[in-house]
Amino acid sequence: MKKIISFILCIAMLLSVVILPASAGDEILVTEGTMESAFAEDENSLVVFVTGIGQSYSYLFEDKYLEDGAFENGTLHDYENYAPLIANGQFERVWNLIDFNIESVIPELVIIVAKLALSAILGTYLITSEEMSNMFSKAVTNNIIDENGNAPINVVTPRYAMPVSEYPGITRDDGTYYSEARRRFFSSIPCEDIAKDKFGENYEDFLYCFNYPAFSYTQRNATELHEFIETILANNKVGAKKVVLVPMSMGGAMVSAYLAKYPDVADNHVRRVVSIVGCWNGSDIVSDLLNINYAENSQELFYSGLFADTINTMAQPPYGDIAMFVMRLFPQYMLSNLVHQFMESLVNDVFLNTPSLLVLIPDYLHDDFVSMITKESVYNDVQAYYLAQSTLKERLAKLEAQGMTFSFISGYGAEYGAFEYPFFKFFASAETTNSDEIINIGSTAPGTSCVPYNQKFTDTEGRRLSPDGSIDASTAYYPDCCWYFKGQKHQLDYNNNALRLAIELALGNIKTVQDCDNLEEDGYYFPQFNDSRDLKKLIKSYLPDLEKYIKNTGYVLTADEQKLYDEVIAMKNNTVNNREADDALVAEFYDMLVEIGVYEEPTAEDHAKDILNDVLNTANKVLYKVMGKKSYFNK
């Protein structure tokens, strides 16, 4: 059964854990020192977001773009050629994590499913490891990189060495301008309103993004980040001579590799690093995955509803409960064999050939997995990273002595699988960690010590404890430069206060917690320990939809409706989060939108779906009470 769980977790890792530099086209003129600085030092910098695994998009193109003469000059991988194609939507497919192409393996999949059914009838497992490996390898072909870190030649991960204001786009028939690259940037990093408020009307001139393939070589990414920074500093529009790096999630590992490879400020040109849930020292779930190290109660979790919850997060109810009924049709050993074969292919063909995934192992667990790497180029890349990681604290201190500053924004107070990825609860580390659901707090805020998410420190003297008593900021590398959001899931993108804080840190208006702990004295108030927040629906839908409704219909809010609207805006602008109260206010606001006609009332069909979901879920719970961990064929 642990092998079944391994399969789920392997897929989950690639489906969990938000466009960009290369050759930039036309040269951009630099305006040396003529623009008023938005930065505290009165000298502009460029803000470079270094994306996480879920923010890096890759595009698949038709084979015709690989033919000789397909372009007047160069190949598909030249900016001048792929940028117009992407802007015009001339690509076959786009993905941001892994392209698992089911359509390409339908014949193989049909055979495997048929053999599985036949196996159940005959009582003998008929699927071979070779069949599974061939099916899997074919399905993930577009993600496999060669020994030089190159993806298939018809796959492009775009990189725009230019500000967001220069991202390529098209003028539509209605006269509006649309940029696919710009849309993906602000969708992944929703900082538009905040950046506009702080930088001014030309805010997009300050914003850059270093994108890289999720499956790649880390040392190559570090070299390309250096080339990217050199290019944008030479051609920027605001007279900047330095950059502020804002790594997000896996971007923390990329920036760590960059600073190791270019350890002097004179070479790396970095003024500040503002890390948003950056992965600075891996995550225990990755090592748990590769070492097949799962919770002792994983089988019980599987049958008690966690498997159904997992499928529901990937699809939607009631598919999870339906899948649970189907899973019980097969003897456990057959499912274990099937999933073990799939897992072996995933680990051997993808994970162990991909340095960017392997560097997500914490340095203290490095020796547990390094012997599993068989490809020399992968081994050398990963070893170079971990050699540098062994001196991370000392390296950052040397850079700080040269004037570089470091800030860390993190989530904490959650177990693995607490929010959107229930499958992470299968990991052995789920009960012993303190995380943002995906990355340990000691990685996103390096050095921070903790007890498991639902416990408290008993020895409190000399500690700087969070309100729940589970983490100690005093042990962090930079205890005065870390901010923590309790119960905040890994994706901080719609915690608008996290992004607001990040921009203030990037500008240099805030450098330590003492710079923002008193609104009257400092002009800012961002508590070091804050609550969580998720205003995605409010920001992306409710507020703009109400504005559009009022514009189109001429509707005028009543006094009570205006009061509620004002309360929502005040909450949105409040830098102190109160998750329970904030969620309740957003829910009340939604009900108001339904009442005035912005949204329709739930239909009878919606209610019927809810009832069906409840019935199936209840049936599975009853089945678990009667049969426990057994399948229908267990004796």
Side-chain angles (χ1 to χ4, degrees):
M1 178 54 61
K2 286 190 176 183
K3 293 171 183 176
I4 296 176
I5 297 167
S6 298
F7 161 69
I8 298 170
L9 294 170
C10 286
I11 295 300
M13 276 300 301
L14 295 174
L15 294 178
S16 64
V17 237
V18 295
I19 321 188
L20 325 149
S23 153
D26 295 337
E27 182 177 354
I28 302 171
L29 297 178
V30 180
T31 308
E32 291 282 355
T34 59
M35 182 177 295
E36 182 179 353
S37 175
F39 290 74
E41 295 86 351
D42 293 327
E43 180 182 328
N44 284 330
S45 297
L46 306 180
V47 178
V48 180
F49 290 88
V50 183
T51 57
I53 189 172
Q55 299 162 309
S56 300
Y57 289 88
S58 296
Y59 293 79
L60 178 71
F61 292 90
E62 296 179 51
D63 289 341
K64 68 180 182 180
Y65 295 118
L66 307 177
E67 299 172 358
D68 290 338
F71 304 100
E72 184 175 347
N73 294 298
T75 68
L76 175 64
H77 281 264
D78 291 307
Y79 167 82
E80 291 80 0
N81 295 323
Y82 70 67
L85 293 177
I86 291 175
N88 283 283
Q90 295 172 274
F91 49 85
E92 287 190 14
R93 205 159 54 250
V94 57
W95 62 90
N96 66 330
L97 292 173
I98 184 171
D99 179 40
F100 196 82
N101 189 1
I102 294 293
E103 293 85 356
S104 69
V105 294
I106 292 297
E108 293 87 349
L109 196 57
V110 168
I111 292 173
I112 287 175
V113 171
K115 280 194 170 186
L116 182 62
L118 187 60
S119 296
I121 295 172
L122 299 178
T124 302
Y125 189 70
L126 301 174
I127 301 169
T128 67
S129 294
E130 183 179 6
E131 286 175 318
M132 180 61 70
S133 179
N134 289 338
M135 186 277 292
F136 177 83
S137 297
K138 185 176 179 181
V140 300
T141 295
N142 293 329
N143 309 279
I144 303 300
I145 55 177
D146 63 22
E147 293 192 1
N148 296 313
N150 296 316
I153 56 176
N154 59 339
V155 174
V156 174
T157 302
R159 185 175 289 161
Y160 305 133
M162 57 185 66
V164 173
S165 60
E166 300 290 338
Y167 276 11
I170 58 171
T171 300
R172 291 171 163 169
D173 293 339
D174 61 2
T176 60
Y177 182 78
Y178 172 77
S179 170
E180 159 82 0
R182 181 185 184 278
R183 182 186 71 81
R184 292 206 178 274
F185 173 82
F186 282 120
S187 176
S188 299
I189 309 169
C191 63
E192 186 171 9
D193 290 343
I194 299 167
K196 185 175 182 179
D197 178 60
K198 303 306 295 187
F199 289 104
E201 290 299 322
N202 67 322
Y203 64 101
E204 292 184 348
D205 292 341
F206 293 90
L207 304 180
Y208 292 75
C209 190
F210 178 78
N211 195 46
Y212 55 90
F215 301 88
S216 53
Y217 275 62
T218 306
Q219 299 305 310
R220 173 173 169 175
N221 289 336
T223 299
E224 293 180 351
L225 176 56
H226 182 68
E227 295 170 353
F228 175 76
I229 290 173
E230 294 278 359
T231 299
I232 64 176
L233 286 176
N235 299 311
N236 77 88
K237 303 170 71 173
V238 297
K241 300 185 184 302
K242 289 187 178 181
V243 301
V244 176
L245 296 182
V246 184
M248 306 178 74
S249 195
M250 184 192 278
M254 297 302 113
V255 170
S256 180
Y258 174 65
L259 297 178
K261 200 162 192 174
Y262 303 93
D264 296 311
V265 172
D267 295 326
N268 60 46
H269 312 299
V270 179
R271 168 174 280 164
R272 278 187 281 277
V273 174
V274 179
S275 177
I276 303 179
V277 296
C279 190
W280 289 86
N281 193 18
S283 175
D284 287 344
I285 56 173
V286 183
S287 58
D288 277 352
L289 171 62
L290 294 180
N291 289 317
I292 315 181
N293 184 28
Y294 301 111
E296 290 296 325
N297 64 339
S298 56
Q299 292 186 34
E300 184 173 347
L301 289 173
F302 181 86
Y303 282 106
S304 65
L306 198 54
F307 174 76
D309 291 343
T310 297
I311 299 300
N312 285 336
T313 62
M314 296 179 181
Q316 59 183 359
Y319 293 110
D321 291 292
I322 293 173
M324 192 69 251
F325 288 125
V326 174
M327 293 295 284
R328 286 185 182 270
L329 290 170
F330 299 94
Q332 288 185 11
Y333 82 92
M334 289 188 181
L335 293 176
S336 295
N337 287 343
L338 177 73
V339 173
H340 181 59
Q341 291 169 348
F342 192 98
M343 184 199 71
E344 282 187 327
S345 297
L346 183 60
V347 172
N348 294 330
D349 295 341
V350 176
F351 268 84
L352 293 179
N353 292 322
T354 310
S356 60
L357 299 179
L358 292 173
V359 300
L360 299 181
I361 300 284
D363 64 347
Y364 49 82
L365 297 172
H366 170 256
D367 294 340
D368 293 345
F369 78 91
V370 68
S371 61
M372 300 168 63
I373 304 174
T374 59
K375 187 179 291 186
E376 183 178 4
S377 60
V378 175
Y379 178 86
N380 292 337
D381 193 275
V382 173
Q383 284 296 87
Y385 179 82
Y386 280 103
L387 180 62
Q389 281 300 98
S390 66
T391 59
L392 175 62
K393 185 175 182 179
E394 293 78 9
R395 289 193 294 107
L396 299 188
K398 288 181 180 179
L399 288 165
E400 186 183 31
Q402 297 178 42
M404 191 182 300
T405 63
F406 297 90
S407 307
F408 302 90
I409 299 173
S410 305
Y412 78 99
E415 64 177 329
Y416 293 139
F419 307 116
E420 295 185 345
Y421 308 107
F423 30 73
F424 288 159
K425 291 181 181 179
F426 286 119
F427 282 109
S429 301
E431 295 184 354
T432 62
T433 192
N434 195 311
S435 74
D436 59 16
E437 185 184 33
I438 293 177
I439 303 180
N440 315 28
I441 184 64
S443 179
T444 54
T448 300
S449 58
C450 67
V451 293
Y453 72 98
N454 61 347
Q455 299 180 22
K456 295 183 178 182
F457 277 99
T458 56
D459 54 330
T460 60
E461 185 175 354
R463 298 187 183 277
R464 188 186 298 187
L465 294 176
S466 57
D468 72 347
S470 72
I471 67 170
D472 178 13
S474 71
T475 61
Y477 290 2
Y478 300 95
D480 292 324
C481 302
C482 294
W483 284 262
Y484 307 89
F485 291 87
K486 182 181 184 295
Q488 181 69 50
K489 64 182 181 179
H490 182 65
Q491 293 84 353
L492 286 173
D493 48 3
Y494 280 95
N495 180 337
N496 66 329
N497 281 331
L499 283 172
R500 186 180 298 166
L501 172 61
I503 294 297
E504 297 291 1
L505 289 165
L507 291 169
N509 295 328
I510 296 172
K511 293 183 179 179
T512 70
V513 295
Q514 289 77 28
D515 294 334
C516 58
D517 60 359
N518 187 303
L519 183 61
E520 292 184 3
E521 293 180 3
D522 304 324
Y524 303 94
Y525 183 57
F526 291 95
Q528 182 169 33
F529 298 104
N530 209 335
D531 203 354
S532 61
R533 172 174 279 185
D534 184 355
L535 300 184
K536 183 174 184 177
K537 291 182 178 178
L538 178 69
I539 293 173
K540 290 198 70 173
S541 300
Y542 299 169
L543 290 173
D545 287 350
L546 174 60
E547 181 180 352
K548 186 184 301 182
Y549 180 80
I550 290 174
K551 181 179 180 180
N552 292 338
T553 65
Y555 183 83
V556 178
L557 297 176
T558 67
D560 287 341
E561 291 166 351
Q562 183 66 48
K563 180 182 177 182
L564 178 57
Y565 174 85
D566 293 340
E567 289 176 359
V568 166
I569 297 302
M571 177 273 291
K572 176 173 172 282
N573 294 333
N574 187 355
T575 58
V576 180
N577 298 341
N578 183 326
R579 186 57 182 265
E580 184 177 355
D582 294 351
D583 285 352
L585 188 61
V586 171
E588 185 181 355
F589 188 67
Y590 171 78
D591 290 341
M592 184 192 86
L593 298 183
V594 172
E595 185 178 337
I596 66 178
V598 177
Y599 300 128
E600 295 181 358
E601 293 275 1
T603 64
E605 183 180 353
D606 294 328
H607 289 303
K609 287 181 180 179
D610 291 338
I611 293 172
L612 175 62
N613 294 340
D614 291 340
V615 169
L616 290 174
N617 185 259
T618 301
N620 253 324
K621 290 179 180 178
V622 171
L623 193 61
Y624 172 68
K625 288 183 178 181
V626 174
M627 298 185 63
K629 297 179 286 185
K630 296 179 181 180
S631 69
Y632 301 134
F633 295 95
N634 279 137
K635 296 181 180 179

